[in-house]
Amino acid sequence: MSEPAIRRPYRREGEEKRRDALIAAAMALVAEGGPEAATVRAIAARAGVTPGLIRHYFQSKEELTHAAYRQVMEAMTHEAMRAAAAIPEADPAGRLAAFVAANFRPPVMTTLLVGVWAGYMHLGRNDPVMHAIHEATYLGYRDRLQELIAALPRPADPARDRREAIACNALIDGLWIEGGSLPDNFDQGEVLRIALDGIGAMLGIRFPESAYQIPPESETPA
Amino acid sequence: MSEPAIRRPYRREGEEKRRDALIAAAMALVAEGGPEAATVRAIAARAGVTPGLIRHYFQSKEELTHAAYRQVMEAMTHEAMRAAAAIPEADPAGRLAAFVAANFRPPVMTTLLVGVWAGYMHLGRNDPVMHAIHEATYLGYRDRLQELIAALPRPADPARDRREAIACNALIDGLWIEGGSLPDNFDQGEVLRIALDGIGAMLGIRFPESAYQIPPESETPA
DNA sequence: TGCGTTATTATCCACATGTATAATTGACGG
DNA sequence: CCGTCAATTATACATGTGGATAATAACGCA
């Protein structure tokens, strides 16, 4: 009945490593089974530790949730901005196309990221911290998009730019959700094509054929 | 210590009335506080009954959840189809505009509906029943949209129609989420205008000015 | 009016969750 | 090689959850 109570062996790790592992575990569980699956026990098990350790690195489970959500949102916008910044400023349409395209390939359009987004989305409606994270990343994303649109070579019209940024942002979001939720329903590159065609039509421009190409290394990301 | 155990008085109601009340209570709670707020005790309290009654009308709480989700999704598509059907077939663009516009006013674009949608969205990723409900309503919605697009007076091209239906659907979804989540960020009718402008641009048509008008009675719905 | 049906309430239960605290042990400096 | 510290584990706890079952009273009908 009373086992000899052999204590689980363990290794000491750096704080950053443990925090990252716990955040990653929480994200994966949310993506797979929704927020209700990300219990402290499940998170700890996936991270290879015992539940108590969570409270050692995070003041509460809520704090871990905030950290995970922030990481997800920041990863999305950061990736899109990085792609846009890789194109010279002399090519505004190319920058916009790169910004758009980044949303429709890994590491942005993955079942994990869409799943985490879906699982946490409703929390922004009540939790003020989550709402702040959402606002900071989401509206920041749209503002960045509007800047890229305003840089296009055409007469200036801020009000129009704002409306078009809202529309483009909505189109990207809708396609990202669909493409990430039901990846089997779309051919390779189809979502990107639809996005660029739609945004081009709404802005009255035409993206070069090169914008539609998918970087070959994106098929099997490291 | 032991109160006289006075039993709560109650009235017998019809089965349909009680089921509707429980579903409405569950929806309201999910919209306000997310799925975790919709406990059997909270649902019963809001519906004015005791928790045990839920199990009298639904085999499990899960079954009640399914019923609520189905009602939300069906209300959305039904409302849009009803609006489109009110326009004569001889006016394909008008039908499409009516279909689109229905999504951006009550009873479709409300914080309650968007909140419930957000709260339940991730469940479609795991629960097979929820997934089936989602698929039946969501894809059905898109198919209906594609039919309206295919009816436009222009050369037939099913593949193009499919892509454009996906794009229009994504745009509508994205705007609906934004408009329903942050209604204060948009002027009266602004979301509808952005939607019609964007869809018109993507389809290469121009909707009549009348399509942008908001029915006056929609401001304060019954 | 009185009776039976059953909608509704009240109570109990097994279990899961987040959290708090005590016990242990790995790693590092002397 | 030993002592110290904290990273980590183990255990306990209060609370809340969905579900099961028994008791009761509202309503329809004779």
Side-chain angles (χ1 to χ4, degrees):
Chain A
M1 217 173 283
S2 64
E3 294 293 323
I6 172 177
R7 199 181 176 90
R8 159 204 264 246
Y10 61 94
R11 278 181 36 207
R12 293 192 165 199
E13 296 282 359
E15 165 161 356
E16 195 179 356
K17 201 169 181 178
R18 277 278 133 92
R19 289 180 70 99
D20 287 352
L22 290 169
I23 290 173
M27 282 174 48
L29 285 165
V30 169
E32 291 167 11
E36 67 271 19
T39 68
V40 288
R41 287 165 178 80
I43 294 170
R46 174 164 297 221
V49 297
T50 48
L53 199 61
I54 290 179
R55 296 286 321 275
H56 185 73
Y57 286 113
F58 299 92
Q59 208 163 12
S60 68
K61 188 203 169 185
E62 200 180 17
E63 191 181 304
L64 168 56
T65 298
H66 294 160
Y69 185 61
R70 183 178 289 112
Q71 180 158 316
V72 168
M73 300 298 280
E74 284 180 355
M76 292 173 52
T77 58
H78 175 266
E79 186 65 20
M81 292 185 185
R82 197 174 65 86
I87 307 293
E89 285 191 44
D91 180 13
R95 289 182 81 121
L96 177 58
F99 185 89
V100 172
N103 294 280
F104 297 106
R105 62 166 181 259
V108 177
M109 195 174 77
T110 61
T111 56
L112 185 135
L113 224 58
V114 176
V116 174
W117 177 88
Y120 281 156
M121 141 159 231
H122 73 94
L123 294 182
R125 300 174 53 84
N126 302 293
D127 184 332
V129 176
M130 294 291 267
H131 186 79
I133 296 170
H134 177 85
E135 197 164 28
T137 54
Y138 197 76
L139 284 183
Y141 181 94
R142 201 179 81 189
D143 290 344
R144 187 79 183 92
L145 188 54
Q146 184 170 336
E147 289 170 18
L148 291 170
I149 290 172
L152 292 173
R154 55 178 190 173
D157 184 343
R160 176 206 56 193
D161 292 344
R162 170 187 142 87
R163 292 196 305 272
E164 289 177 347
I166 292 172
C168 291
N169 188 21
L171 179 60
I172 292 170
D173 282 354
L175 286 173
W176 177 76
I177 294 170
E178 283 190 57
S181 299
L182 315 163
D184 299 336
N185 276 279
F186 302 96
D187 295 337
Q188 167 80 359
E190 186 181 20
V191 180
L192 174 59
R193 177 183 177 182
I194 293 172
L196 288 175
D197 283 349
I199 289 174
M202 290 194 292
L203 299 180
I205 63 176
R206 199 168 141 64
F207 294 108
E209 192 59 33
S210 59
Y212 291 79
Q213 298 310 317
I214 301 179
E217 74 274 17
S218 75
E219 300 217 15
T220 52
Chain B
M1 223 173 276
S2 63
E3 295 292 323
I6 173 177
R7 200 181 176 88
R8 158 204 264 245
Y10 61 92
R11 278 179 38 207
R12 291 192 165 198
E13 296 283 1
E15 163 161 356
E16 196 179 354
K17 202 168 179 178
R18 277 279 135 90
R19 289 179 68 98
D20 286 352
L22 289 169
I23 290 173
M27 280 173 48
L29 285 165
V30 170
E32 290 168 11
E36 66 271 21
T39 68
V40 289
R41 288 166 177 80
I43 293 170
R46 173 162 298 217
V49 296
T50 47
L53 199 62
I54 290 178
R55 295 283 324 265
H56 185 73
Y57 287 113
F58 299 93
Q59 208 163 12
S60 67
K61 187 204 169 186
E62 199 179 18
E63 191 182 303
L64 167 57
T65 298
H66 295 159
Y69 185 61
R70 185 179 287 112
Q71 180 159 314
V72 168
M73 299 299 279
E74 284 181 355
M76 292 174 50
T77 58
H78 175 267
E79 188 65 18
M81 291 184 185
R82 198 173 65 84
I87 307 294
E89 285 192 44
D91 180 12
R95 290 184 80 126
L96 177 58
F99 186 90
V100 172
N103 294 280
F104 297 105
R105 62 167 181 258
V108 177
M109 195 173 78
T110 60
T111 54
L112 185 135
L113 224 59
V114 176
V116 174
W117 177 88
Y120 281 158
M121 136 152 237
H122 73 94
L123 294 181
R125 299 174 54 83
N126 301 293
D127 184 332
V129 176
M130 294 291 268
H131 186 78
I133 296 170
H134 177 85
E135 197 164 27
T137 54
Y138 197 78
L139 283 183
Y141 181 94
R142 201 179 80 189
D143 289 345
R144 187 82 184 91
L145 187 56
Q146 185 170 338
E147 289 169 21
L148 291 170
I149 290 172
L152 292 173
R154 56 179 190 172
D157 185 342
R160 177 206 56 194
D161 292 345
R162 169 186 145 85
R163 292 195 305 270
E164 289 179 345
I166 292 172
C168 292
N169 188 21
L171 179 60
I172 292 170
D173 283 354
L175 286 173
W176 177 76
I177 295 170
E178 282 189 58
S181 299
L182 315 163
D184 300 334
N185 275 280
F186 302 97
D187 296 336
Q188 168 79 359
E190 187 181 20
V191 180
L192 174 58
R193 176 181 177 184
I194 293 171
L196 288 175
D197 282 350
I199 290 174
M202 290 194 290
L203 300 179
I205 64 177
R206 200 170 138 65
F207 293 110
E209 195 57 34
S210 60
Y212 290 79
Q213 298 309 317
I214 300 179
E217 74 274 19
S218 74
E219 298 218 17
T220 54

